[in-house]
């Protein structure tokens, strides 16, 4: 969920994590195996767009925030359409403006059916961040739900009916109880990814955690349980040309977002390693779900109400890719049959068709037709 320029990483290392780093004993980095699961499929790709986060509305639409590019929606047939972009510049507390628009960071569907999107930049420097509410998901009109934050990144509705927003590079996790009403729920160093868990707890990923942990918070008691610690590994992001982020902290994968599956396994993004990881808390094992991404992995969510893709895990990265992988037991797995003409799902006017599975289906159909003609 983080998409930052290299110059920001120096500030990250100045955060008050020194004490934790001095006392944390890290395991030796391991060479991880590839996961023994079906290979992820490329669901969609949009050129020039860096996807940041995603959320399913349960009614056949996938919403994607794109760092500096705005808000998009996708449909089960692989169509991707632009929705909105906020051109408001980023006002710093020093009354300076960066020559760039604010970024839509994290989307989530609220209990009222509206789409909520965190907007701002999760950087150490204080910025003017806020939460936007789109009353009709998929339409560009929005209103300001809460304002005055000095950073914004991961966001999710909790099982208690409150909205939780992470700063991203500091410690604050805000609890928003109503419009323009919020307080700091707790402080967790570099809390970044925020996700509602199947058991009702709130999941958080701490991007700068030297121990690479993802945790669960009991929203009633405030108790925190570490769900899994991914094995550290040296950053490779700085060695890849064209990436938007430079060399990460030593021995850091940069785990910044995750999702917990029904069986307890965890899919996480290793931002600095350019990998999506699969961890199993029951066995302590982890493996590489997808490696060699063209840009930094940013988020993962399980599809709900998304036609034949229900139950699939969707993966997004800062290079404009949307992958999907079926991690369910073999008896529940299936490959969606996506018609070459896009099926019955209608995208809004002006939608951008991505070269995802729709194109793949057309190419396969053409190959079959040619084969029959030759015979």
């Amino acid at each position: 969920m983080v998409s930052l320029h290299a110059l920001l990483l120096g500030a990250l290392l100045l955060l008050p994590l020194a004490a934790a780093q001095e006392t944390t004993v890290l395991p030796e980095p391991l060479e991880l195996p590839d996961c023994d699961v079906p290979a992820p499929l490329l669901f969609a790709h949009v050129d020039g767009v860096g996807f940041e986060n995603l959320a399913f509305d349960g009614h056949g639409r996938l919403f994607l925030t794109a760092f500096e590019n705005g808000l998009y929606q996708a449909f089960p047939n692989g169509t991707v359409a632009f929705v909105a972009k906020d051109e408001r510049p980023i006002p710093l507390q020093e009354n300076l403006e960066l020559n760039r628009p604010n970024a839509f960071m994290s989307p989530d569907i609220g209990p009222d059916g509206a789409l909520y999107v965190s907007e701002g930049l999760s950087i150490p420097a204080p910025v003017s961040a806020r939460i936007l509410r789109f009353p009709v998901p998929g339409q560009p009109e929005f209103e300001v739900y809460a304002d005055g934050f000095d950073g914004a990144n991961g966001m999710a509705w909790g099982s208690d009916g409150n909205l939780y927003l992470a700063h991203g590079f500091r410690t604050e996790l805000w609890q928003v109880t109503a419009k323009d009403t919020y307080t700091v729920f707790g402080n967790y160093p570099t809390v970044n990814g925020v996700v509602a868990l199947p058991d009702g707890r709130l999941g958080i990923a701490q991007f700068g955690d030297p121990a690479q942990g993802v945790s669960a918070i009991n929203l009633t008691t405030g108790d925190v349980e570490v769900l899994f610690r991914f094995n550290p590994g040296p950053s490779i992001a700085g060695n890849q040309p064209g990436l938007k982020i430079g060399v990460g902290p030593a021995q850091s994968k940069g785990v910044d977002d995750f999702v917990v599956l029904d069986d307890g396994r965890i899919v996480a993004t290793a931002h600095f390693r350019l990998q999506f990881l699969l961890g199993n808390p029951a066995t302590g094992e982890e493996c590489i779900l997808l490696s060699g991404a063209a840009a930094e992995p940013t988020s993962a969510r399980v599809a709900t109400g998304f036609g034949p893709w229900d139950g699939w895990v969707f993966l997004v990265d800062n290079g404009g890719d949307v992958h999907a992988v079926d991690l369910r037991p073999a008896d529940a797995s299936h490959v969606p049959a996506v018609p070459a003409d896009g099926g019955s799902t209608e995208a809004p006017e002006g939608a951008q068709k991505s070269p995802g599975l729709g194109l793949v289906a057309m190419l396969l159909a053409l190959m079959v037709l040619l084969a029959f003609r030759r015979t």
Side-chain angles (χ1 to χ4, degrees), residues 163-174:
L163 185 58
Y164 291 86
L165 172 68
H167 182 282
F169 264 88
R170 291 214 309 258
T171 66
E172 296 95 329
L173 177 66
W174 289 286

Side-chain angles (χ1 to χ4, degrees), residues 43-44 73-81 306 342 345-348 351-354:
F43 172 80
Q73 60 183 334
F75 300 86
N77 61 9
T79 299
V80 179
F306 203 56
T345 302
E346 294 295 330
Q352 177 178 357
K353 182 67 178 180
S354 64

Side-chain angles (χ1 to χ4, degrees), residues 167-208:
H167 182 282
F169 264 88
R170 291 214 309 258
T171 66
E172 296 95 329
L173 177 66
W174 289 286
Q175 181 190 64
V176 185
T177 55
K179 181 178 172 62
D180 293 322
T181 305
Y182 58 88
T183 186
V184 175
F185 177 80
N187 288 277
Y188 313 90
T190 62
V191 57
N192 192 306
V194 182
V195 59
L197 301 181
D199 62 6
R201 292 184 293 177
L202 190 74
I204 60 170
Q206 293 169 263
F207 182 66

Side-chain angles (χ1 to χ4, degrees), residues 195-198 203 214 227 258-267 281 300 302:
V195 59
L197 301 181
V214 294
L227 299 176
F258 72 105
V259 66
V260 177
L261 309 183
D262 288 340
D263 61 8
R265 290 179 298 168
I266 296 171
V267 177
V302 177

Side-chain angles (χ1 to χ4, degrees), residues 140-297:
E141 294 77 20
F142 63 81
E143 60 189 12
V144 178
Y145 184 70
D147 202 349
F149 305 98
D150 57 1
N153 202 307
M155 185 187 71
W157 284 91
S159 59
D160 59 356
N162 296 317
L163 185 58
Y164 291 86
L165 172 68
H167 182 282
F169 264 88
R170 291 214 309 258
T171 66
E172 296 95 329
L173 177 66
W174 289 286
Q175 181 190 64
V176 185
T177 55
K179 181 178 172 62
D180 293 322
T181 305
Y182 58 88
T183 186
V184 175
F185 177 80
N187 288 277
Y188 313 90
T190 62
V191 57
N192 192 306
V194 182
V195 59
L197 301 181
D199 62 6
R201 292 184 293 177
L202 190 74
I204 60 170
Q206 293 169 263
F207 182 66
D209 178 11
Q212 311 296 296
V214 294
S215 304
I217 304 174
N218 186 310
L219 295 176
T220 301
T221 65
D223 294 340
V224 180
E225 176 191 358
V226 176
L227 299 176
F228 195 79
R229 293 195 185 280
F230 288 90
N231 189 273
S235 167
I236 63 171
N239 300 327
Q240 305 297 314
L243 294 183
K244 294 184 179 181
I245 199 163
V247 178
Q251 300 299 303
S252 174
K253 289 177 177 174
V255 176
D256 67 344
D257 197 19
F258 72 105
V259 66
V260 177
L261 309 183
D262 288 340
D263 61 8
R265 290 179 298 168
I266 296 171
V267 177
T269 62
H271 200 76
F272 292 132
R273 291 289 296 176
L274 308 184
Q275 296 170 340
F276 290 93
L277 304 176
L278 179 63
N280 189 340
T283 63
E285 298 175 336
E286 66 178 289
C287 57
I288 299 172
L289 185 59
L290 180 63
S291 186
E296 306 90 337

